[in-house]
């Protein structure tokens, strides 16, 4: 069983309001979102676009509901823009998260990314970095890792569909090119399965470097449709390719076992973006909470 003092359970606001497609869940307010997170039994959250930017206002709203901030997404453009641009934005982001008590910063490289493009097929048009871009990415991430350390924080790299770091080979390349004390890994069950990778293999290989976990499941029938109809990442989300743990094709038990045996410390974040009009966020949050309690004791 996991130690509750070391592994905490949160949920992402993306199930209530989608940052990439704000029309999904546009009617759901920030207060409703965090109230329902608490109601479903979660104690942590990542940050969504409706969250107040003022840390005092945000802290008060979260404290009322017993919720704390686990992390938040940061878009890096290390392969396509001057480093200084990413650095400046990162410091601002880091300081906000530090103020909110977070210990990790989720970083994903968005240079050449197609994840936000509605009509670009996610499997056919995935970007491939040049060797020069890999070098810029690796060195840039190490610099961001050093900036995070200034506040006793860590960066966790988010491998992601439609980006230059998606496949097993790409994750391995990034890990081998970066300092293990500066650049850590975010383990996302949904993105690995979506891409056709073996989550168990990656978890076993990098478990000591994994400092943040996103739990999401995949609907096999929708994944098949995405491939056959050459859908984009955003179209796949709208169709319901992602769902909460226990509601799709992923076997989570061996993954939880590996994390437990290796004394994982940090957050488990349920991050299953769906159309809230089709998948009621509270209902699915409760479903996820129940499943995780059954499988992990948390």
């Amino acid at each position: 069983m996991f130690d509750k003092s070391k592994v905490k359970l949160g949920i992402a606001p993306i199930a209530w309001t989608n940052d990439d497609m704000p029309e999904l869940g546009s009617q759901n307010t920030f207060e409703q979102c965090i109230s329902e997170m608490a109601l479903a039994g979660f104690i942590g959250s990542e940050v969504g676009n409706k969250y107040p930017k003022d840390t005092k206002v945000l802290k008060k709203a979260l404290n009322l509901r017993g919720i704390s901030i686990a992390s938040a997404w940061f878009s890096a453009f290390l392969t396509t823009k001057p480093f200084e641009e990413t650095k400046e934005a990162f410091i601002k982001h880091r300081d906000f998260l530090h103020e909110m008590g977070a210990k990790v910063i989720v970083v994903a490289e968005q240079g050449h990314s197609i994840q936000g493009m509605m009509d670009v097929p996610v499997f056919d048009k995935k970007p491939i970095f040049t060797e020069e871009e890999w070098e810029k990415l690796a060195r840039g991430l190490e610099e961001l890792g050093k900036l995070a350390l200034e506040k006793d924080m860590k960066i966790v790299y988010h491998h992601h569909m439609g980006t230059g770091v998606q496949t097993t080979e790409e994750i391995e390349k990034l890990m081998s090119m970066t300092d293990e004390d500066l650049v850590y890994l975010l383990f996302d069950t949904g993105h690995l399965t979506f891409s056709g990778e073996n989550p168990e293999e990656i978890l076993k290989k990098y478990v000591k470097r994994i400092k943040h976990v996103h739990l999401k499941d995949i609907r096999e029938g929708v994944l098949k449709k995405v491939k056959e109809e050459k859908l984009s990442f955003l179209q796949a989300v709208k169709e319901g390719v992602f769902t909460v743990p226990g509601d799709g094709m992923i076997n989570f038990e061996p993954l939880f076992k590996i994390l437990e045996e290796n004394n994982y410390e940090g957050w488990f974040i349920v991050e299953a973006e769906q159309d809230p009009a089709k998948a009621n966020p509270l209902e699915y949050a409760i479903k996820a909470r129940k499943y995780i309690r059954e499988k992990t004791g948390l």
Side-chain angles (χ1 to χ4, degrees):
M1 288 292 178
F2 287 98
D3 181 340
K4 287 181 185 178
S5 67
K6 291 180 178 169
V7 182
K8 295 174 179 175
L9 199 55
I11 189 165
I14 202 162
W16 282 264
T17 306
N18 193 298
D19 284 358
D20 297 319
M21 296 177 281
E23 68 276 13
L24 296 187
S26 59
Q27 73 285 4
N28 293 331
T29 65
F30 160 67
E31 288 82 4
Q32 177 192 340
C33 170
I34 58 171
S35 294
E36 291 186 355
M37 287 175 172
L39 191 59
F42 291 92
I43 60 164
S45 167
E46 289 190 347
V47 179
N49 62 11
K50 287 191 177 178
Y51 281 41
K53 304 290 183 279
D54 182 326
T55 53
K56 285 192 180 72
V57 175
L58 182 54
K59 277 180 184 173
K60 184 180 179 184
L62 293 172
N63 289 342
L64 284 170
R65 296 161 176 87
I67 301 266
S68 55
I69 293 297
S71 185
W73 170 283
F74 177 76
S75 293
F77 292 91
L78 297 164
T79 58
T80 54
K81 293 182 182 177
F83 174 73
E84 289 305 315
E85 283 187 40
T86 292
K87 179 183 175 180
E88 195 181 329
F90 179 81
I91 289 171
K92 206 173 154 186
H93 188 76
R94 175 202 70 181
D95 291 351
F96 169 79
L97 283 177
H98 183 256
E99 180 75 19
M100 293 307 301
K103 290 290 183 191
V104 296
I105 305 163
V106 174
V107 177
E109 175 60 25
Q110 290 299 291
H112 308 298
S113 169
I114 59 163
Q115 75 181 64
M117 297 177 183
M118 188 56 80
D119 300 315
V120 180
V122 70
F123 281 106
D124 295 6
K125 303 284 184 184
K126 188 193 116 36
I128 305 290
F129 293 146
T130 64
E131 282 309 314
E132 187 190 354
E133 285 169 338
W134 274 110
E135 198 57 39
K136 280 184 182 174
L137 177 61
R139 302 294 75 79
L141 287 172
E142 288 179 339
E143 289 306 313
L144 298 185
K146 288 174 192 170
L147 290 167
L149 273 179
E150 287 176 7
K151 298 280 188 183
D152 197 25
M153 298 171 81
K154 293 180 170 73
I155 64 164
V156 286
Y157 191 86
H158 193 338
H159 55 87
H160 200 287
M161 290 300 294
T163 73
V165 186
Q166 172 188 310
T167 65
T168 301
E169 193 184 346
E170 289 161 348
I171 292 166
E172 288 178 339
K173 188 173 175 85
L174 184 68
M175 292 292 98
S176 69
M177 285 181 76
T178 50
D179 185 332
E180 63 181 21
D181 294 322
L182 292 173
V183 181
Y184 296 88
L185 188 63
L186 180 155
F187 177 69
D188 188 304
T189 57
H191 281 275
L192 290 170
T193 305
F194 194 152
S195 179
E197 317 309 313
N198 182 336
E200 209 172 322
E201 254 175 48
I202 291 186
L203 183 55
K204 276 181 185 161
K205 188 164 185 179
Y206 297 110
V207 69
K208 296 299 182 195
R209 221 165 150 179
I210 290 164
K211 302 295 176 189
H212 203 55
V213 173
H214 278 176
L215 300 174
K216 52 161 83 74
D217 215 333
I218 294 283
R219 290 188 175 98
E220 199 165 5
V222 180
L223 178 58
K224 192 165 175 278
K225 183 180 180 177
V226 171
K227 289 175 180 172
E228 286 171 359
E229 298 183 15
K230 297 187 183 299
L231 300 183
S232 69
F233 177 71
L234 296 182
Q235 286 167 336
V237 169
K238 279 184 159 181
E239 288 292 323
V241 73
F242 292 133
T243 183
V244 296
D247 191 46
M249 67 188 275
I250 299 174
N251 179 11
F252 282 87
E253 288 186 42
L255 306 178
F256 287 138
K257 190 168 187 282
I258 295 163
L259 287 160
E260 188 186 348
E261 284 171 351
N262 286 277
N263 302 311
Y264 171 77
E265 283 188 39
W267 286 94
F268 283 166
I269 301 288
V270 173
E271 192 217 30
E273 58 265 47
Q274 305 186 68
D275 181 347
K278 294 180 187 172
N280 179 278
L282 177 59
E283 181 189 335
Y284 275 82
I286 291 168
K287 191 182 281 196
R289 185 69 190 89
K290 185 169 178 280
Y291 178 80
I292 293 165
R293 185 179 290 118
E294 282 170 6
K295 299 297 177 191
T296 67
L298 286 169

PDB file of all heavy atoms in Angstrom, residues 201-228:
ATOM      1  N   GLU A 201       7.159  -0.610 -19.496  1.00  0.00           N
ATOM      2  CA  GLU A 201       8.589  -0.605 -19.833  1.00  0.00           C
ATOM      3  C   GLU A 201       9.244   0.726 -19.455  1.00  0.00           C
ATOM      4  O   GLU A 201      10.312   0.765 -18.857  1.00  0.00           O
ATOM      5  CB  GLU A 201       8.747  -0.800 -21.346  1.00  0.00           C
ATOM      6  CG  GLU A 201       9.229  -2.163 -21.745  1.00  0.00           C
ATOM      7  CD  GLU A 201       9.233  -2.328 -23.262  1.00  0.00           C
ATOM      8  OE1 GLU A 201       9.755  -1.417 -23.962  1.00  0.00           O
ATOM      9  OE2 GLU A 201       8.711  -3.347 -23.743  1.00  0.00           O
ATOM     10  N   ILE A 202       8.579   1.804 -19.835  1.00  0.00           N
ATOM     11  CA  ILE A 202       9.123   3.138 -19.562  1.00  0.00           C
ATOM     12  C   ILE A 202       9.159   3.395 -18.059  1.00  0.00           C
ATOM     13  O   ILE A 202      10.131   3.939 -17.530  1.00  0.00           O
ATOM     14  CB  ILE A 202       8.311   4.216 -20.317  1.00  0.00           C
ATOM     15  CG1 ILE A 202       8.604   4.048 -21.804  1.00  0.00           C
ATOM     16  CG2 ILE A 202       8.645   5.630 -19.832  1.00  0.00           C
ATOM     17  CD1 ILE A 202       8.063   5.046 -22.719  1.00  0.00           C
ATOM     18  N   LEU A 203       8.124   2.975 -17.367  1.00  0.00           N
ATOM     19  CA  LEU A 203       8.068   3.169 -15.919  1.00  0.00           C
ATOM     20  C   LEU A 203       9.207   2.415 -15.234  1.00  0.00           C
ATOM     21  O   LEU A 203       9.897   2.966 -14.372  1.00  0.00           O
ATOM     22  CB  LEU A 203       6.707   2.701 -15.388  1.00  0.00           C
ATOM     23  CG  LEU A 203       6.453   2.899 -13.896  1.00  0.00           C
ATOM     24  CD1 LEU A 203       6.647   4.347 -13.477  1.00  0.00           C
ATOM     25  CD2 LEU A 203       5.045   2.444 -13.532  1.00  0.00           C
ATOM     26  N   LYS A 204       9.414   1.168 -15.637  1.00  0.00           N
ATOM     27  CA  LYS A 204      10.500   0.373 -15.033  1.00  0.00           C
ATOM     28  C   LYS A 204      11.856   1.018 -15.269  1.00  0.00           C
ATOM     29  O   LYS A 204      12.701   1.071 -14.381  1.00  0.00           O
ATOM     30  CB  LYS A 204      10.506  -1.044 -15.635  1.00  0.00           C
ATOM     31  CG  LYS A 204       9.526  -1.998 -14.968  1.00  0.00           C
ATOM     32  CD  LYS A 204       9.601  -3.365 -15.602  1.00  0.00           C
ATOM     33  CE  LYS A 204       8.536  -4.295 -15.036  1.00  0.00           C
ATOM     34  NZ  LYS A 204       8.305  -5.444 -15.927  1.00  0.00           N
ATOM     35  N   LYS A 205      12.063   1.520 -16.476  1.00  0.00           N
ATOM     36  CA  LYS A 205      13.369   2.072 -16.844  1.00  0.00           C
ATOM     37  C   LYS A 205      13.656   3.393 -16.131  1.00  0.00           C
ATOM     38  O   LYS A 205      14.790   3.657 -15.736  1.00  0.00           O
ATOM     39  CB  LYS A 205      13.432   2.262 -18.366  1.00  0.00           C
ATOM     40  CG  LYS A 205      14.809   2.658 -18.850  1.00  0.00           C
ATOM     41  CD  LYS A 205      14.961   2.465 -20.348  1.00  0.00           C
ATOM     42  CE  LYS A 205      16.385   2.757 -20.783  1.00  0.00           C
ATOM     43  NZ  LYS A 205      16.599   2.559 -22.212  1.00  0.00           N
ATOM     44  N   TYR A 206      12.630   4.230 -15.967  1.00  0.00           N
ATOM     45  CA  TYR A 206      12.873   5.593 -15.465  1.00  0.00           C
ATOM     46  C   TYR A 206      12.218   5.899 -14.124  1.00  0.00           C
ATOM     47  O   TYR A 206      12.141   7.051 -13.730  1.00  0.00           O
ATOM     48  CB  TYR A 206      12.417   6.622 -16.514  1.00  0.00           C
ATOM     49  CG  TYR A 206      13.207   6.514 -17.785  1.00  0.00           C
ATOM     50  CD1 TYR A 206      12.615   6.038 -18.945  1.00  0.00           C
ATOM     51  CD2 TYR A 206      14.561   6.859 -17.822  1.00  0.00           C
ATOM     52  CE1 TYR A 206      13.352   5.914 -20.119  1.00  0.00           C
ATOM     53  CE2 TYR A 206      15.311   6.729 -18.986  1.00  0.00           C
ATOM     54  CZ  TYR A 206      14.699   6.255 -20.132  1.00  0.00           C
ATOM     55  OH  TYR A 206      15.440   6.129 -21.284  1.00  0.00           O
ATOM     56  N   VAL A 207      11.783   4.870 -13.414  1.00  0.00           N
ATOM     57  CA  VAL A 207      11.001   5.093 -12.195  1.00  0.00           C
ATOM     58  C   VAL A 207      11.703   6.027 -11.192  1.00  0.00           C
ATOM     59  O   VAL A 207      11.053   6.835 -10.522  1.00  0.00           O
ATOM     60  CB  VAL A 207      10.574   3.748 -11.546  1.00  0.00           C
ATOM     61  CG1 VAL A 207      11.777   2.996 -10.969  1.00  0.00           C
ATOM     62  CG2 VAL A 207       9.487   3.966 -10.497  1.00  0.00           C
ATOM     63  N   LYS A 208      13.029   5.948 -11.126  1.00  0.00           N
ATOM     64  CA  LYS A 208      13.759   6.799 -10.168  1.00  0.00           C
ATOM     65  C   LYS A 208      13.791   8.263 -10.610  1.00  0.00           C
ATOM     66  O   LYS A 208      14.081   9.153  -9.819  1.00  0.00           O
ATOM     67  CB  LYS A 208      15.194   6.285  -9.968  1.00  0.00           C
ATOM     68  CG  LYS A 208      15.285   4.897  -9.346  1.00  0.00           C
ATOM     69  CD  LYS A 208      14.656   4.828  -7.961  1.00  0.00           C
ATOM     70  CE  LYS A 208      14.800   3.457  -7.326  1.00  0.00           C
ATOM     71  NZ  LYS A 208      13.912   3.269  -6.172  1.00  0.00           N
ATOM     72  N   ARG A 209      13.512   8.477 -11.878  1.00  0.00           N
ATOM     73  CA  ARG A 209      13.550   9.835 -12.426  1.00  0.00           C
ATOM     74  C   ARG A 209      12.147  10.437 -12.561  1.00  0.00           C
ATOM     75  O   ARG A 209      11.986  11.590 -12.945  1.00  0.00           O
ATOM     76  CB  ARG A 209      14.217   9.780 -13.796  1.00  0.00           C
ATOM     77  CG  ARG A 209      15.173  10.943 -14.023  1.00  0.00           C
ATOM     78  CD  ARG A 209      16.085  10.686 -15.189  1.00  0.00           C
ATOM     79  NE  ARG A 209      16.443  11.949 -15.820  1.00  0.00           N
ATOM     80  CZ  ARG A 209      17.241  12.063 -16.845  1.00  0.00           C
ATOM     81  NH1 ARG A 209      17.780  10.987 -17.372  1.00  0.00           N
ATOM     82  NH2 ARG A 209      17.514  13.254 -17.366  1.00  0.00           N
ATOM     83  N   ILE A 210      11.146   9.632 -12.271  1.00  0.00           N
ATOM     84  CA  ILE A 210       9.751  10.083 -12.401  1.00  0.00           C
ATOM     85  C   ILE A 210       9.309  10.750 -11.098  1.00  0.00           C
ATOM     86  O   ILE A 210       9.331  10.138 -10.033  1.00  0.00           O
ATOM     87  CB  ILE A 210       8.832   8.901 -12.784  1.00  0.00           C
ATOM     88  CG1 ILE A 210       9.117   8.471 -14.228  1.00  0.00           C
ATOM     89  CG2 ILE A 210       7.355   9.268 -12.622  1.00  0.00           C
ATOM     90  CD1 ILE A 210       8.580   7.120 -14.607  1.00  0.00           C
ATOM     91  N   LYS A 211       8.924  12.017 -11.204  1.00  0.00           N
ATOM     92  CA  LYS A 211       8.555  12.792 -10.012  1.00  0.00           C
ATOM     93  C   LYS A 211       7.126  13.338 -10.080  1.00  0.00           C
ATOM     94  O   LYS A 211       6.727  14.143  -9.232  1.00  0.00           O
ATOM     95  CB  LYS A 211       9.536  13.965  -9.821  1.00  0.00           C
ATOM     96  CG  LYS A 211      11.003  13.546  -9.672  1.00  0.00           C
ATOM     97  CD  LYS A 211      11.254  12.741  -8.424  1.00  0.00           C
ATOM     98  CE  LYS A 211      12.681  12.237  -8.330  1.00  0.00           C
ATOM     99  NZ  LYS A 211      12.874  11.291  -7.227  1.00  0.00           N
ATOM    100  N   HIS A 212       6.374  12.933 -11.103  1.00  0.00           N
ATOM    101  CA  HIS A 212       4.987  13.400 -11.249  1.00  0.00           C
ATOM    102  C   HIS A 212       4.279  12.387 -12.140  1.00  0.00           C
ATOM    103  O   HIS A 212       4.868  11.892 -13.112  1.00  0.00           O
ATOM    104  CB  HIS A 212       4.972  14.788 -11.900  1.00  0.00           C
ATOM    105  CG  HIS A 212       3.738  15.597 -11.627  1.00  0.00           C
ATOM    106  ND1 HIS A 212       3.277  15.872 -10.358  1.00  0.00           N
ATOM    107  CD2 HIS A 212       2.861  16.208 -12.481  1.00  0.00           C
ATOM    108  CE1 HIS A 212       2.188  16.631 -10.441  1.00  0.00           C
ATOM    109  NE2 HIS A 212       1.909  16.845 -11.714  1.00  0.00           N
ATOM    110  N   VAL A 213       3.033  12.072 -11.818  1.00  0.00           N
ATOM    111  CA  VAL A 213       2.298  11.051 -12.573  1.00  0.00           C
ATOM    112  C   VAL A 213       0.928  11.584 -12.990  1.00  0.00           C
ATOM    113  O   VAL A 213       0.172  12.097 -12.153  1.00  0.00           O
ATOM    114  CB  VAL A 213       2.131   9.754 -11.736  1.00  0.00           C
ATOM    115  CG1 VAL A 213       1.224   8.759 -12.454  1.00  0.00           C
ATOM    116  CG2 VAL A 213       3.489   9.123 -11.440  1.00  0.00           C
ATOM    117  N   HIS A 214       0.624  11.472 -14.283  1.00  0.00           N
ATOM    118  CA  HIS A 214      -0.721  11.769 -14.796  1.00  0.00           C
ATOM    119  C   HIS A 214      -1.428  10.450 -15.075  1.00  0.00           C
ATOM    120  O   HIS A 214      -0.916   9.621 -15.841  1.00  0.00           O
ATOM    121  CB  HIS A 214      -0.641  12.583 -16.091  1.00  0.00           C
ATOM    122  CG  HIS A 214      -0.430  14.047 -15.868  1.00  0.00           C
ATOM    123  ND1 HIS A 214      -0.250  14.937 -16.899  1.00  0.00           N
ATOM    124  CD2 HIS A 214      -0.389  14.779 -14.731  1.00  0.00           C
ATOM    125  CE1 HIS A 214      -0.107  16.171 -16.402  1.00  0.00           C
ATOM    126  NE2 HIS A 214      -0.172  16.085 -15.085  1.00  0.00           N
ATOM    127  N   LEU A 215      -2.560  10.268 -14.450  1.00  0.00           N
ATOM    128  CA  LEU A 215      -3.349   9.054 -14.641  1.00  0.00           C
ATOM    129  C   LEU A 215      -4.524   9.338 -15.571  1.00  0.00           C
ATOM    130  O   LEU A 215      -5.406  10.130 -15.247  1.00  0.00           O
ATOM    131  CB  LEU A 215      -3.886   8.552 -13.291  1.00  0.00           C
ATOM    132  CG  LEU A 215      -2.845   8.185 -12.229  1.00  0.00           C
ATOM    133  CD1 LEU A 215      -3.531   7.856 -10.914  1.00  0.00           C
ATOM    134  CD2 LEU A 215      -1.989   6.997 -12.684  1.00  0.00           C
ATOM    135  N   LYS A 216      -4.491   8.707 -16.740  1.00  0.00           N
ATOM    136  CA  LYS A 216      -5.647   8.769 -17.623  1.00  0.00           C
ATOM    137  C   LYS A 216      -5.739   7.462 -18.372  1.00  0.00           C
ATOM    138  O   LYS A 216      -4.757   6.762 -18.540  1.00  0.00           O
ATOM    139  CB  LYS A 216      -5.595   9.966 -18.573  1.00  0.00           C
ATOM    140  CG  LYS A 216      -4.337  10.135 -19.384  1.00  0.00           C
ATOM    141  CD  LYS A 216      -4.559  11.038 -20.601  1.00  0.00           C
ATOM    142  CE  LYS A 216      -4.480  12.506 -20.359  1.00  0.00           C
ATOM    143  NZ  LYS A 216      -3.106  12.993 -20.152  1.00  0.00           N
ATOM    144  N   ASP A 217      -6.945   7.132 -18.805  1.00  0.00           N
ATOM    145  CA  ASP A 217      -7.191   5.876 -19.503  1.00  0.00           C
ATOM    146  C   ASP A 217      -7.517   6.182 -20.964  1.00  0.00           C
ATOM    147  O   ASP A 217      -7.744   7.337 -21.334  1.00  0.00           O
ATOM    148  CB  ASP A 217      -8.354   5.125 -18.827  1.00  0.00           C
ATOM    149  CG  ASP A 217      -8.163   3.615 -18.854  1.00  0.00           C
ATOM    150  OD1 ASP A 217      -7.484   3.119 -19.779  1.00  0.00           O
ATOM    151  OD2 ASP A 217      -8.712   2.924 -17.969  1.00  0.00           O
ATOM    152  N   ILE A 218      -7.554   5.135 -21.780  1.00  0.00           N
ATOM    153  CA  ILE A 218      -7.823   5.280 -23.219  1.00  0.00           C
ATOM    154  C   ILE A 218      -8.998   4.389 -23.625  1.00  0.00           C
ATOM    155  O   ILE A 218      -9.045   3.217 -23.251  1.00  0.00           O
ATOM    156  CB  ILE A 218      -6.567   4.862 -24.040  1.00  0.00           C
ATOM    157  CG1 ILE A 218      -5.401   5.831 -23.794  1.00  0.00           C
ATOM    158  CG2 ILE A 218      -6.886   4.768 -25.539  1.00  0.00           C
ATOM    159  CD1 ILE A 218      -5.471   7.155 -24.499  1.00  0.00           C
ATOM    160  N   ARG A 219      -9.920   4.977 -24.388  1.00  0.00           N
ATOM    161  CA  ARG A 219     -11.015   4.182 -24.954  1.00  0.00           C
ATOM    162  C   ARG A 219     -10.517   3.576 -26.271  1.00  0.00           C
ATOM    163  O   ARG A 219     -10.268   4.289 -27.240  1.00  0.00           O
ATOM    164  CB  ARG A 219     -12.249   5.055 -25.197  1.00  0.00           C
ATOM    165  CG  ARG A 219     -12.929   5.518 -23.919  1.00  0.00           C
ATOM    166  CD  ARG A 219     -14.259   6.219 -24.220  1.00  0.00           C
ATOM    167  NE  ARG A 219     -14.963   6.555 -22.985  1.00  0.00           N
ATOM    168  CZ  ARG A 219     -14.934   7.756 -22.404  1.00  0.00           C
ATOM    169  NH1 ARG A 219     -14.240   8.751 -22.953  1.00  0.00           N
ATOM    170  NH2 ARG A 219     -15.606   7.989 -21.290  1.00  0.00           N
ATOM    171  N   GLU A 220     -10.415   2.256 -26.275  1.00  0.00           N
ATOM    172  CA  GLU A 220      -9.804   1.546 -27.407  1.00  0.00           C
ATOM    173  C   GLU A 220     -10.525   1.806 -28.730  1.00  0.00           C
ATOM    174  O   GLU A 220      -9.898   2.012 -29.776  1.00  0.00           O
ATOM    175  CB  GLU A 220      -9.768   0.044 -27.099  1.00  0.00           C
ATOM    176  CG  GLU A 220      -8.778  -0.708 -27.938  1.00  0.00           C
ATOM    177  CD  GLU A 220      -8.488  -2.102 -27.380  1.00  0.00           C
ATOM    178  OE1 GLU A 220      -9.128  -2.531 -26.396  1.00  0.00           O
ATOM    179  OE2 GLU A 220      -7.590  -2.752 -27.945  1.00  0.00           O
ATOM    180  N   GLY A 221     -11.855   1.817 -28.681  1.00  0.00           N
ATOM    181  CA  GLY A 221     -12.642   2.039 -29.897  1.00  0.00           C
ATOM    182  C   GLY A 221     -12.395   3.411 -30.499  1.00  0.00           C
ATOM    183  O   GLY A 221     -12.318   3.570 -31.726  1.00  0.00           O
ATOM    184  N   VAL A 222     -12.255   4.405 -29.635  1.00  0.00           N
ATOM    185  CA  VAL A 222     -12.012   5.779 -30.119  1.00  0.00           C
ATOM    186  C   VAL A 222     -10.593   5.883 -30.693  1.00  0.00           C
ATOM    187  O   VAL A 222     -10.376   6.509 -31.735  1.00  0.00           O
ATOM    188  CB  VAL A 222     -12.225   6.830 -28.991  1.00  0.00           C
ATOM    189  CG1 VAL A 222     -11.967   8.238 -29.528  1.00  0.00           C
ATOM    190  CG2 VAL A 222     -13.636   6.732 -28.410  1.00  0.00           C
ATOM    191  N   LEU A 223      -9.637   5.232 -30.046  1.00  0.00           N
ATOM    192  CA  LEU A 223      -8.255   5.243 -30.536  1.00  0.00           C
ATOM    193  C   LEU A 223      -8.188   4.658 -31.954  1.00  0.00           C
ATOM    194  O   LEU A 223      -7.511   5.203 -32.841  1.00  0.00           O
ATOM    195  CB  LEU A 223      -7.354   4.438 -29.586  1.00  0.00           C
ATOM    196  CG  LEU A 223      -5.881   4.311 -29.975  1.00  0.00           C
ATOM    197  CD1 LEU A 223      -5.205   5.670 -30.130  1.00  0.00           C
ATOM    198  CD2 LEU A 223      -5.123   3.473 -28.949  1.00  0.00           C
ATOM    199  N   LYS A 224      -8.927   3.590 -32.180  1.00  0.00           N
ATOM    200  CA  LYS A 224      -8.992   2.951 -33.500  1.00  0.00           C
ATOM    201  C   LYS A 224      -9.538   3.943 -34.528  1.00  0.00           C
ATOM    202  O   LYS A 224      -9.021   4.088 -35.633  1.00  0.00           O
ATOM    203  CB  LYS A 224      -9.901   1.714 -33.395  1.00  0.00           C
ATOM    204  CG  LYS A 224      -9.851   0.776 -34.567  1.00  0.00           C
ATOM    205  CD  LYS A 224     -10.498  -0.554 -34.184  1.00  0.00           C
ATOM    206  CE  LYS A 224     -10.588  -1.500 -35.383  1.00  0.00           C
ATOM    207  NZ  LYS A 224     -11.748  -1.221 -36.234  1.00  0.00           N
ATOM    208  N   LYS A 225     -10.581   4.661 -34.133  1.00  0.00           N
ATOM    209  CA  LYS A 225     -11.210   5.650 -35.014  1.00  0.00           C
ATOM    210  C   LYS A 225     -10.231   6.787 -35.350  1.00  0.00           C
ATOM    211  O   LYS A 225     -10.165   7.258 -36.487  1.00  0.00           O
ATOM    212  CB  LYS A 225     -12.461   6.220 -34.321  1.00  0.00           C
ATOM    213  CG  LYS A 225     -13.234   7.210 -35.164  1.00  0.00           C
ATOM    214  CD  LYS A 225     -14.459   7.749 -34.421  1.00  0.00           C
ATOM    215  CE  LYS A 225     -15.199   8.740 -35.308  1.00  0.00           C
ATOM    216  NZ  LYS A 225     -16.421   9.257 -34.705  1.00  0.00           N
ATOM    217  N   VAL A 226      -9.473   7.226 -34.349  1.00  0.00           N
ATOM    218  CA  VAL A 226      -8.489   8.305 -34.545  1.00  0.00           C
ATOM    219  C   VAL A 226      -7.489   7.903 -35.628  1.00  0.00           C
ATOM    220  O   VAL A 226      -7.147   8.700 -36.511  1.00  0.00           O
ATOM    221  CB  VAL A 226      -7.747   8.634 -33.219  1.00  0.00           C
ATOM    222  CG1 VAL A 226      -6.588   9.592 -33.456  1.00  0.00           C
ATOM    223  CG2 VAL A 226      -8.713   9.209 -32.195  1.00  0.00           C
ATOM    224  N   LYS A 227      -7.031   6.659 -35.559  1.00  0.00           N
ATOM    225  CA  LYS A 227      -6.058   6.168 -36.541  1.00  0.00           C
ATOM    226  C   LYS A 227      -6.686   6.017 -37.922  1.00  0.00           C
ATOM    227  O   LYS A 227      -6.138   6.467 -38.928  1.00  0.00           O
ATOM    228  CB  LYS A 227      -5.470   4.832 -36.076  1.00  0.00           C
ATOM    229  CG  LYS A 227      -4.537   4.971 -34.879  1.00  0.00           C
ATOM    230  CD  LYS A 227      -4.077   3.606 -34.397  1.00  0.00           C
ATOM    231  CE  LYS A 227      -3.152   3.743 -33.192  1.00  0.00           C
ATOM    232  NZ  LYS A 227      -2.848   2.439 -32.587  1.00  0.00           N
ATOM    233  N   GLU A 228      -7.854   5.380 -37.956  1.00  0.00           N
ATOM    234  CA  GLU A 228      -8.523   5.108 -39.247  1.00  0.00           C
ATOM    235  C   GLU A 228      -8.954   6.384 -39.956  1.00  0.00           C
ATOM    236  O   GLU A 228      -8.839   6.497 -41.182  1.00  0.00           O
ATOM    237  CB  GLU A 228      -9.734   4.201 -39.028  1.00  0.00           C
ATOM    238  CG  GLU A 228      -9.351   2.755 -38.747  1.00  0.00           C
ATOM    239  CD  GLU A 228     -10.538   1.904 -38.310  1.00  0.00           C
ATOM    240  OE1 GLU A 228     -11.663   2.441 -38.201  1.00  0.00           O
ATOM    241  OE2 GLU A 228     -10.332   0.703 -38.075  1.00  0.00           O
TER     242      GLU A 228
END
